[in-house]
Amino acid sequence: RATSNHKVKETVALELSYVNSNLQLLKEELEELNSSVDVYQNDSESISVPMIPLGLKETKELDLLVPLKDLISEHYGEEGVLFEKEIKEFMELRQAMRTPSRNEAGLELLMEYYNQLYFLDSRFFPPTKSLGVFFHWYDSLTGVPSHQRALAFEKGSVLFNIGALHTQIGARQDRASLPGLNQAIDAFQKAAGAFNYLKENFSNAPSLDMSTASLNMLVRLMVAQVQECVFEKMTLLRSQHNFLARLQLAQEAARVEDVYLLVHQTMTQAHVKDYVPFSWTTMVHVKSEHFKALSHYFAAIALCDCPAATDAELPEQEKAFIQFHITMPEGPSLRVLLQDPEERRKLGKAHLKKAIMKHEEAMRIHGLCKILRKMDILQEVLSFAHKRSLSKYSEIDHEEDFFETGDAPDIHPKTHQKPEIKSPNFSQVKVTDLFHRLGPLSVFSAKNKWYPARRVHLMRGENGFGFTLRGDSPVLIAGVIPGGLRCPGLKEGDYIISVNGKDCKWSKHAEVVQLLKSTGEEGVEITVITLQGSEGPRAADKKAAAMSSGSGMLKSNKENSRKSLMNSKSASTLLVWSKKSKRSKKSTYGVPFTAVGDNEAMY
């Protein structure tokens, strides 16, 4: 559209085509890097099927020094330069958060930054004005950059990385040991919880990896990997090789096959398949076939390697076996099947035949993906399982078998440990509000506006100063007796922010009272502010109690209406961001003066 010159158009089209081809090559290289063999494998020499970890979202550096100093000057009326230390400390925390270590310390760092964003949001992101900075993040799956002004995009991206880091920690565990398996299960369950929390509390994300469809797929993938670990845990714990234990293993394997099949169906949906790495989709498909083969293998082992049921064992085995297959196998009655070794061998042979077919299908699908072909461990696992089933089939196959091996029915999936989606525990990492010197958030927040501070000189009369105080941090003038003051300029609903030059924003009720009482004949000078829109203490109470954690990104009403219980001390510790939490009237964070009536006194 910029030119009518055909030669220029052709040249530009050619250059764009060249750039596009380079981008395609880069995308393939990134996919191969994201699916690196080293990332999948742990340090153990034992053989276990590799897990799928996620790469972290990358972000650009962010300079907040000037925007925050300007807002502190404009909104809070403070010298922005006096807060350079706090701003730089926050920026250093963000810089460290970009490259977290792949362990618990890295998770704590991400959680600390995520919690710190609550304070940043409340302090510097007013609902009607933009801070003027863009948050840049790259898609974890495609590498495509996205940017938004809203802080909720930053929050969501950090939360995504918390989930992604859990996946990497889970994938690195030595699953040949029980402690390693338990740690892997815990990590994948926490990853599922982070992605699920992100899905429920954020919407309209600008990047594909944080879309509802993508997060739904990731939650299901993590649940499937937990289920796989549960199966591996059972193989370690089930040292006895009796009939019932092997039936349980077969059903556990069928359950793993079931959840991976669901993941594969999710990954191949029209709006998901275009950006999910092909190696992931193939891996999930391979695992679905592999565990289906294992379910039939363990069914065959239970039937062929375990002795026929005695009359005493028969009732328990009948009860287990009647719920074992999705459809009952054709042939003799259940009692005859369980007590006749030949009938057991026939059904076991049918299960082995199906196991071998599924092993071969898994190996065929595996061979279609160049990246998976490089994974020696996966190749070894599939080959070992296939050879084991072939060997068992040869062992039970008799030359005089003239019957045609039937088609074994599929096994009913069942698990003895259902995966748990563990939501993030934000209270696990305590943080201090870096900008607490600005004052308590109940009053001194981006949402609230107040009139310029006023200095009022008071003289003590015979009956004191003639006003009542309520609350803490900051103390509020709850009532003024007409004619009781020796100096005008003070009114109901004012907050005392200093007494004789001493900052009182965080002072307790008793501390302010003591400062007022210690004045002499010369009187006392106090500095007060009045919230805009407040008309007396009741309105001021409502204004002070209303907290905003919102910003405009992801337009998330759920996330942006977050409330938080806070510590009233200057350390202001973040406790929790609960989806439906409502701050108690007795909360020491943002105490409205009406909530502490028993603390009211006349001065």
Side-chain angles (χ1 to χ4, degrees):
R1 289 199 298 265
T3 179
S4 58
N5 189 316
H6 291 294
K7 285 190 176 181
V8 172
K9 284 188 175 182
E10 287 176 8
T11 304
V12 171
L14 189 64
E15 288 179 359
L16 286 175
S17 176
Y18 173 72
V19 170
N20 188 50
S21 64
N22 279 349
L23 284 173
Q24 289 298 322
L25 288 172
L26 181 60
K27 183 182 175 184
E28 289 177 16
E29 289 174 10
L30 283 171
E31 183 179 309
E32 190 161 341
L33 182 64
N34 195 35
S35 308
S36 166
V37 179
D38 296 331
V39 177
Y40 281 113
Q41 298 177 5
N42 56 47
D43 299 327
S44 170
E45 294 181 359
S46 63
I47 300 174
S48 54
V49 183
M51 294 292 185
I52 298 178
L54 270 77
L56 299 184
K57 290 174 72 71
E58 300 287 341
T59 182
K60 288 184 178 180
E61 285 188 36
L62 185 65
D63 190 352
L64 290 168
L65 192 60
V66 174
L68 292 190
K69 280 167 61 178
D70 288 348
L71 195 137
I72 288 170
S73 299
E74 294 170 14
H75 187 76
Y76 292 94
E78 304 267 7
E79 288 290 334
V81 70
L82 299 177
F83 289 84
E84 279 191 2
K85 181 185 174 184
E86 286 91 339
I87 297 170
K88 287 178 179 177
E89 189 176 342
F90 178 84
M91 287 167 59
E92 287 170 4
L93 177 62
R94 189 181 190 276
Q95 183 68 13
M97 171 279 307
R98 294 174 65 196
T99 54
S101 54
R102 270 58 173 171
N103 51 29
E104 286 297 322
L107 287 169
E108 286 185 12
L109 179 62
L110 287 170
M111 193 73 83
E112 179 186 354
Y113 180 71
Y114 183 81
N115 285 348
Q116 201 61 248
L117 288 175
Y118 168 81
F119 294 110
L120 194 78
D121 194 354
S122 300
R123 296 281 190 197
F124 302 113
F125 284 82
T128 57
K129 182 183 176 183
S130 169
L131 191 61
V133 296
F134 282 97
F135 298 98
H136 294 262
W137 287 87
Y138 294 87
D139 193 292
S140 169
L141 301 176
T142 64
V144 174
S146 300
H147 65 269
Q148 278 196 351
R149 282 195 177 99
L151 190 67
F153 183 40
E154 179 91 344
K155 290 180 188 175
S157 298
V158 175
L159 188 55
F160 184 95
N161 275 359
I162 289 172
L165 194 52
H166 275 303
T167 71
Q168 295 184 11
I169 292 171
R172 290 170 64 91
Q173 298 303 318
D174 176 12
R175 303 198 321 274
S177 67
L178 199 55
L181 272 171
N182 286 330
Q183 287 170 359
I185 288 171
D186 184 60
F188 289 129
Q189 287 183 153
K190 286 177 177 176
F195 296 134
N196 196 56
Y197 185 90
L198 187 57
K199 182 183 72 172
E200 290 181 349
N201 293 282
F202 294 83
S203 59
N204 303 323
S207 58
L208 287 170
D209 56 355
M210 291 165 62
S211 66
T212 301
S214 178
L215 293 171
N216 189 46
M217 177 272 292
L218 291 174
V219 170
R220 288 178 175 179
L221 175 60
M222 293 308 117
V223 168
Q225 296 192 146
V226 171
Q227 201 71 67
E228 183 177 348
C229 290
V230 170
F231 169 79
E232 292 173 336
K233 187 176 176 180
M234 277 201 66
T235 59
L236 280 181
L237 293 175
R238 301 285 179 183
S239 54
Q240 71 273 29
H241 301 298
N242 61 44
F243 181 73
L244 295 177
R246 282 169 168 163
L247 289 188
Q248 287 175 350
L249 269 180
Q251 289 188 302
E252 284 286 353
R255 177 61 184 159
V256 180
E257 179 255 330
D258 210 33
V259 289
Y260 271 120
L261 184 61
L262 179 62
V263 176
H264 184 253
Q265 290 170 353
T266 310
M267 284 183 171
T268 51
Q269 288 176 355
H271 49 292
V272 178
K273 66 179 180 181
D274 292 336
Y275 58 86
V276 173
F278 179 63
S279 56
W280 287 19
T281 311
T282 309
M283 171 76 90
V284 165
H285 197 181
V286 165
K287 286 192 175 189
S288 177
E289 298 294 338
H290 173 67
F291 281 98
K292 185 161 191 174
L294 289 184
S295 70
H296 286 283
Y297 170 78
F298 283 110
I301 292 296
L303 290 163
C304 300
D305 285 9
C306 298
T310 63
D311 289 339
E313 296 170 334
L314 192 60
E316 188 181 11
Q317 290 195 10
E318 271 187 319
K319 184 180 177 182
F321 207 71
I322 202 166
Q323 300 173 350
F324 182 68
H325 292 101
I326 290 176
T327 56
M328 283 302 293
E330 297 177 0
S333 66
L334 198 56
R335 179 179 290 269
V336 173
L337 174 64
L338 290 172
Q339 291 193 308
D340 185 343
E342 182 59 20
E343 290 298 333
R344 289 168 71 111
R345 184 181 72 85
K346 284 181 181 179
L347 182 56
K349 191 175 176 182
H351 276 296
L352 277 174
K353 179 184 174 184
K354 202 159 193 176
I356 292 166
M357 288 169 60
K358 289 299 171 183
H359 282 310
E360 289 171 352
E361 180 64 7
M363 294 169 75
R364 184 192 70 80
I365 297 164
H366 168 265
L368 297 176
C369 181
K370 180 179 72 174
I371 294 168
L372 295 191
R373 287 201 301 270
K374 295 179 181 178
M375 298 175 65
D376 295 338
I377 286 183
L378 182 57
Q379 179 80 42
E380 199 172 337
V381 169
L382 297 177
S383 179
F384 170 78
H386 181 231
K387 288 176 182 175
R388 184 176 61 178
S389 292
L390 282 173
S391 174
K392 192 65 188 176
Y393 190 86
S394 299
E395 181 187 320
I396 67 168
D397 186 29
H398 297 167
E399 289 183 6
E400 61 273 15
D401 282 351
F402 294 109
F403 61 86
E404 185 178 343
T405 305
D407 185 27
D410 284 334
I411 290 142
H412 183 72
K414 186 179 179 183
T415 183
H416 291 76
Q417 183 180 337
K418 289 184 178 179
E420 177 188 352
I421 295 177
K422 293 186 176 180
S423 294
N425 181 12
F426 299 115
S427 62
Q428 183 181 348
V429 179
K430 302 290 189 290
V431 297
T432 299
D433 178 8
L434 293 175
F435 298 93
H436 72 272
R437 285 199 294 131
L438 289 171
L441 271 171
S442 58
V443 175
F444 301 96
S445 67
K447 180 187 177 184
N448 289 335
K449 291 183 180 180
W450 48 89
Y451 297 106
R454 310 187 312 280
R455 290 184 180 180
V456 180
H457 192 81
L458 302 176
M459 300 296 292
R460 186 194 297 273
E462 292 181 5
N463 297 319
F465 291 109
F467 57 82
T468 57
L469 301 179
R470 278 183 182 171
D472 295 318
S473 310
V475 173
L476 182 134
I477 295 175
V480 176
I481 298 175
L485 290 170
R486 298 289 298 275
C487 183
L490 205 62
K491 61 178 181 290
E492 200 174 319
D494 284 347
Y495 287 99
I496 299 174
I497 61 173
S498 76
V499 177
N500 283 337
K502 177 177 171 57
D503 192 301
C504 294
K505 292 191 191 85
W506 284 101
S507 297
K508 298 289 186 186
H509 184 99
E511 293 169 350
V512 173
V513 170
Q514 188 59 40
L515 287 170
L516 292 171
K517 283 184 175 179
S518 63
T519 58
E521 294 180 359
E522 69 280 5
V524 60
E525 185 175 82
I526 66 172
T527 305
V528 297
I529 61 164
T530 306
L531 288 178
Q532 290 186 19
S534 63
E535 298 171 4
R538 292 290 165 187
D541 171 23
K542 292 176 184 176
K543 188 79 172 177
M547 287 301 304
S548 166
S549 100
S551 56
M553 148 180 151
L554 305 174
K555 261 321 192 180
S556 165
N557 291 332
K558 296 177 185 175
E559 172 62 21
N560 294 341
S561 63
R562 267 316 137 242
K563 302 278 197 296
S564 176
L565 291 171
M566 313 294 290
N567 195 321
S568 65
K569 298 182 181 178
S570 60
S572 290
T573 308
L574 181 74
L575 296 178
V576 65
W577 287 4
S578 173
K579 181 159 67 170
K580 295 183 180 177
S581 68
K582 293 182 180 178
R583 194 167 8 135
S584 164
K585 284 188 177 181
K586 294 185 179 180
S587 167
T588 54
Y589 171 55
V591 179
F593 65 87
T594 53
V596 281
D598 57 344
N599 203 17
E600 180 180 347
M602 180 81 161
Y603 302 102

